[in-house]
Amino acid sequence: MTFAMRDRALDVPALAAALKPLGLADRLAAARAALPGRLVFTTSFGLEDQLVTHAILTRRLDIAVVTLDTGRLFPQTYDVWSATEQRYCVRIPALYPQREALEALVADQGIDGFRNGVAERLACCGARKVEPLGRALDGASGWITGLRSGGSANREATPLAERDEARGLVKINPLADVSRETIVDHVRALEIPYNALHDRGFPSIGCAPCTRAVRLGEEERAGRWWWERESAKECGLHVRQPDAPAGARAS
């Protein structure tokens, strides 16, 4: 799988600064205008991603909307996937784990082997999410995400735009500085389909066996891989570069 940074001359910090005063749809349109080639938005059908999907599809922006189906999603996630396709009259294609890799993973660690340790969990995330993401972004010049700096302490340094050197593209996080409360208000006002689990205490939704509702006082991502003690609970999709600015963490 090959990646190629399409425009090394692009001033990414300047792009981030230019996006700052704009609304969501205009941020996406500006990113589309600034970046050549293929732009991809990977949605998990969470609240943030639904708002980004709405902006892309209603503005008819030339940004591919795709999802990663790990095979272990909540039924409610499939429900909102279907509702989204119906609302916007589109098909949202999925990238799936490779059969051979998944069969080998389950044969090696068991169906729920990810609970045995961080290494096992990361291996599961790698087969079910990271490898399919690589195929989704193959040849893309830009990757649109729904990351927010308020999602967890681990994501507090999330910028509006950054280089993803490992994948050879520019990563756009158009909701990086937007509060969850603002997103909730917009989703409700626009009557955008959303995952019913959000109303049951699930601010962050991943695979069913790896996600629980959060408790009072916990941060938004506390329900992800809750049995792990490590503070940086990530699956490997979003990783800060080693030379990231001081204070930046894995995202």
Side-chain angles (χ1 to χ4, degrees):
M1 196 158 298
T2 59
F3 299 93
M5 187 73 76
R6 299 301 182 92
D7 187 359
R8 294 295 313 185
L10 179 67
D11 189 335
V12 176
L15 175 59
L19 298 180
K20 182 70 174 175
L22 305 178
L24 173 59
D26 287 335
R27 285 178 174 181
L28 291 165
R32 174 64 281 181
L35 291 166
R38 181 169 174 260
L39 266 63
V40 178
F41 171 54
T42 51
T43 177
S44 63
F45 301 104
L47 208 63
E48 295 86 355
D49 289 353
Q50 287 298 94
L51 187 58
V52 174
T53 295
H54 176 85
I56 290 172
L57 297 180
T58 55
R59 283 284 291 266
R60 298 186 178 182
L61 298 174
D62 181 22
I63 299 173
V65 179
V66 305
T67 192
L68 309 177
D69 187 348
T70 65
R72 303 210 67 177
L73 303 178
F74 284 96
Q76 292 87 344
T77 301
Y78 293 106
D79 290 343
V80 75
W81 182 352
S82 176
T84 303
E85 291 190 331
Q86 293 179 42
R87 165 71 183 274
Y88 301 102
C89 299
V90 297
R91 287 287 178 265
I92 298 176
L95 281 296
Y96 293 88
Q98 292 188 335
R99 179 179 61 81
E100 295 85 354
L102 195 56
E103 290 177 353
L105 176 79
V106 175
D108 176 56
Q109 63 176 224
I111 190 60
D112 287 340
F114 51 81
R115 295 186 187 276
N116 295 332
V118 176
E120 288 84 353
R121 198 267 294 169
L122 289 174
C124 186
C125 289
R128 295 182 184 274
K129 300 173 74 173
V130 179
E131 191 281 330
L133 174 69
R135 284 184 277 122
L137 298 178
D138 193 15
S141 60
W143 176 21
I144 311 295
T145 84
L147 293 179
R148 289 188 302 105
S149 60
S152 69
N154 192 48
R155 294 182 171 184
E156 63 187 11
T158 301
L160 288 170
E162 58 187 318
R163 286 194 184 275
D164 186 327
E165 298 290 352
R167 296 187 172 96
L169 46 71
V170 175
K171 189 173 175 182
I172 305 294
N173 310 305
L175 296 176
D177 58 350
V178 181
S179 71
R180 183 173 182 82
E181 292 73 21
T182 297
I183 291 170
V184 169
D185 289 343
H186 283 310
V187 167
R188 287 176 175 168
L190 296 168
E191 299 183 337
I192 297 171
Y194 68 91
N195 196 315
L197 291 174
H198 289 310
D199 292 334
R200 293 166 51 185
F202 290 75
S204 177
I205 303 169
C207 290
C210 300
T211 312
R212 64 159 172 79
V214 299
R215 303 185 180 99
L216 185 64
E218 289 184 326
E219 66 179 21
E220 293 177 16
R221 289 180 60 82
R224 306 291 291 275
W225 311 295
W226 68 91
W227 61 88
E228 294 180 7
R229 294 183 180 181
E230 285 75 9
S231 59
K233 295 180 178 180
E234 297 289 344
C235 62
L237 297 184
H238 305 287
V239 180
R240 283 267 176 264
Q241 304 303 322
D243 59 347
R249 300 183 176 92
S251 64

